Amino acid sequence: MKIILLGALSAASLYFAQSYPVASIPENLKKNANIVIRKDFTTVQINKIDEIKYQYNTVTTVLNKDGNEKAVAYIPYDKATSISDIKVTIYDESGKKIKSYSKSDFSDFANNRQGVFYSDNRVMVFSYTPVQYPYTIDFSYQSENKNTIFIPDFVPFYSTNTSLEEGQMKVINTSGIDLRTKIYPSKYNYASVAETGNGNEKTYTYKNVPAIDDALLIPQTLKILPNVSFVLTKFNLAGRQGTLNNWTDFGSWYYNNLVEPVAVSTPAIKAEVAALQLQGSVEDKVKKIYQYMQTKTRYIYVGLGIGGWLPMMPEEVHKKGYGDCKGLTNYMKTLLNEAGIPSYYCVINSGLSQLSFDPDFPKMGGNHAILMVPTENGNIWLENTSQQTAFNHLGYNTTDRNVLSVKKTGIELINTPSYQADKNKEKQKLTIKIGEDNSITGEGNFFYTGNQYDDNLRFVNLDPKEKNDALKRRFDVLNFEKVEMKNFVNDKDKAVITFDIDFKTNNYSKNAGNSLIFRAVPIFSDNIYKTEENRELPFEIRQSFEDEYEIGFTLPKGYKIDETPADIAINSEFGHYKLSFIKNGEDLKVTRKIQVNKGTYSKEKYNEYVSFRKKILNMDNSKVLITKI
């Protein structure tokens, strides 16, 4: 008995005194990793409709300085959350304890990266400044929350160059409320989750998940890894209780608690709409109201009211001239109501990678609000946080995914527009004079639509010098000596940006005896694409696009065109490319057209795509030879 008891005590001592030496990390988890999550254990205790407790313990080894930011200990909270038992311990490479920290060592901030005006959402942050690498941070705390509408998903990790030894999420439900669970397996068999237990207590586990390298064009990690989602069929949010069995009953709750209570007009708002003297079609009226709204409001984050989900009252936006996405969308909706035009408040997952809501697993989610106006000619989509975005135009952060369209009768999932390549367009027309001194001078006209329109909105608020400097950086392949942007126009009716440039650059051509050699395409993308023989994951082209260039060259007097490349066309499942040359005396016209198709492609096709882009790059570098007569 003594031997058994001593053995049990020794095992217990080892369990409570784990030191996590770096040498014990499996080699496959170090590959491509800046951090290794040694342990990520969460216990979720659901006690009743308005009481849920969490116990977190994460142990992370930081292998190098690039992993520091990913190992920061942070605790998000709000008025409905109580935090306790915060502990941080730092270990060196061998697993020897360096120092321990507590709650008093944490800083407290508003939980909003963009800066915040008013918010109930806070975050406590502990940042450790290491003296050497690697090191390990053991971080634990407990929290209790009255809001049960959110139960975090269980994912191995969220960022690239991160690996996981063991992750575990134990869910204990003694509330008497049904807990719905859905496992989303990895589409690429990158990792799997084990489910154990039954009834009111289940445990989900990941083990030995290798790091995802931050390789070119990889899909977002959430699209690669498995995921487990949870939702209670009855929930509480800031004292408002509801049911979440389907999108219909949840949508009715959302409408009655988060949309209808703030759909309140005032005499001042009525007068505001009347003063616009609206005429014409529904589209004409919506456009006039929208562009008016843009002139008098600006975006400022506000996270107050019902867990930060309740929009500001329209009267407050009207008086103060600011709001966040929720408040501005609700204000725009109220203006349309006064004009007799129905519209729908929509919640969306905004981000570079298109993420949609699961039609078969209703749950609270989304990080942005926009407005949809149905018309006989199709839906009008309004992004209400930008003073510069064109009417009925959504940017690449919100296109090609579904939204939760909140209606009195429930939530309807509706898809936002998906712009085809010819809608994401750049047109470039250059007129260039070749100088005998190897310089060129020229003029250019540029035209952008779709997602390429979005890329050029950054110019809108820049002064002339800033515009010129930004052009130099964007078109640095031409190495301008000087460049001037002129006639910049943001057409907010058609979602088109146009501008002209005057420019000069030296050393564009090279001497070859009595001849000059110069590149046929002055401005092009010089991105470097490298083959990968051991590509581990598929690649994602997130946006289709189409570029059309027309370049006219005028030769110096006394020169003739001696040699041009042959016309070429390249066709591929990834898109197509065409380069053509037309000679006319001392003039040369070069036309270039490229189209790239969005999509997710298998890893086996990656080197084919690299070959496609390298061929295009080589053709963009095609040389023209002119000779002195």
Side-chain angles (χ1 to χ4, degrees), residues 380-610:
I380 295 173
W381 295 93
L382 302 177
E383 169 57 64
N384 302 290
T385 60
S386 171
Q387 295 171 305
Q388 306 300 338
T389 294
F391 168 72
N392 196 20
H393 174 81
L394 294 182
Y396 43 71
N397 281 331
T398 49
T399 52
D400 198 17
R401 67 203 74 191
N402 65 21
V403 303
L404 305 181
S405 177
V406 184
K407 303 179 179 181
K408 188 174 184 178
T409 55
I411 280 176
E412 182 181 358
L413 275 68
I414 301 176
N415 292 328
T416 60
S418 178
Y419 299 145
Q420 302 302 310
D422 62 348
K423 302 298 183 183
N424 297 326
K425 194 159 193 168
E426 175 190 12
K427 287 185 179 180
Q428 184 186 123
K429 185 173 183 179
L430 302 178
T431 304
I432 294 174
K433 293 181 179 179
I434 303 288
E436 276 193 275
D437 60 354
N438 305 119
S439 70
I440 59 172
T441 56
E443 299 175 345
N445 313 113
F446 295 82
F447 169 99
Y448 298 96
T449 62
N451 295 324
Q452 302 212 57
Y453 167 85
D454 301 326
D455 288 335
N456 286 274
L457 281 172
R458 68 190 70 178
F459 288 116
V460 171
N461 293 319
L462 301 182
D463 64 33
K465 182 181 183 305
E466 290 171 331
K467 283 185 170 72
N468 297 339
D469 291 342
L471 269 182
K472 284 184 179 181
R473 291 190 296 271
R474 173 183 287 188
F475 299 144
D476 59 355
V477 68
L478 194 50
N479 194 23
F480 290 114
E481 176 189 323
K482 64 178 182 180
V483 63
E484 181 184 2
M485 180 187 286
K486 303 185 300 183
N487 306 321
F488 183 93
V489 176
N490 174 19
D491 187 336
K492 294 169 67 176
D493 291 340
K494 299 178 181 178
V496 173
I497 281 178
T498 57
F499 58 82
D500 302 327
I501 66 171
D502 289 340
F503 63 91
K504 180 180 181 181
T505 183
N506 296 321
N507 302 315
Y508 183 74
S509 60
K510 304 292 182 184
N511 294 98
N514 290 326
S515 301
L516 294 175
I517 300 173
F518 58 89
R519 193 172 65 241
V521 181
I523 298 173
F524 66 100
S525 171
D526 60 347
N527 290 339
I528 296 173
Y529 295 89
K530 294 182 179 179
T531 57
E532 294 182 27
E533 297 307 321
N534 298 308
R535 178 88 182 191
E536 296 178 344
L537 288 165
F539 64 101
E540 180 182 71
I541 303 173
R542 291 180 176 170
Q543 300 292 346
S544 300
F545 68 88
E546 183 176 280
D547 296 344
E548 290 184 1
Y549 295 179
E550 181 181 308
I551 308 135
F553 290 100
T554 299
L555 279 54
K557 286 187 177 180
Y559 279 77
K560 65 174 184 176
I561 299 169
D562 199 345
E563 192 175 309
T564 64
D567 293 354
I568 188 170
I570 303 170
N571 293 296
S572 163
E573 68 175 302
F574 311 114
H576 56 78
Y577 172 92
K578 185 176 182 180
L579 190 67
S580 303
F581 300 85
I582 300 173
K583 292 183 274 189
N584 182 19
E586 294 181 353
D587 294 333
L588 172 68
K589 184 169 80 170
V590 180
T591 58
R592 173 190 186 269
K593 183 174 182 179
I594 179 175
Q595 178 178 306
V596 174
N597 302 324
K598 70 175 292 183
T600 301
Y601 301 87
S602 70
K603 62 183 181 181
E604 289 79 14
K605 292 184 177 181
Y606 181 75
N607 288 340
E608 293 178 34
Y609 178 70
V610 169

Side-chain angles (χ1 to χ4, degrees), residues 77 112 119 172 210 265 289 301 403 436 465 477 499 625:
Y77 71 97
N112 180 52
S119 180
I172 304 167
S265 187
I289 296 172
Y301 179 79
V403 303
E436 276 193 275
K465 182 181 183 305
V477 68
F499 58 82
L625 178 69

Side-chain angles (χ1 to χ4, degrees), residues 11 13 132 145 162 167 222 287 376 420 437 440 460 485 592:
S13 298
Q132 61 183 18
N145 203 312
T162 300
L222 287 175
K287 181 192 294 185
E376 292 181 355
Q420 302 302 310
D437 60 354
I440 59 172
V460 171
M485 180 187 286
R592 173 190 186 269

Side-chain angles (χ1 to χ4, degrees), residues 34-35 62-70 130 132-135:
N34 295 325
I35 65 169
V62 181
L63 300 177
N64 53 56
K65 63 181 179 63
D66 293 328
N68 275 336
E69 289 187 2
K70 296 179 181 179
Q132 61 183 18
Y133 298 93
Y135 67 93

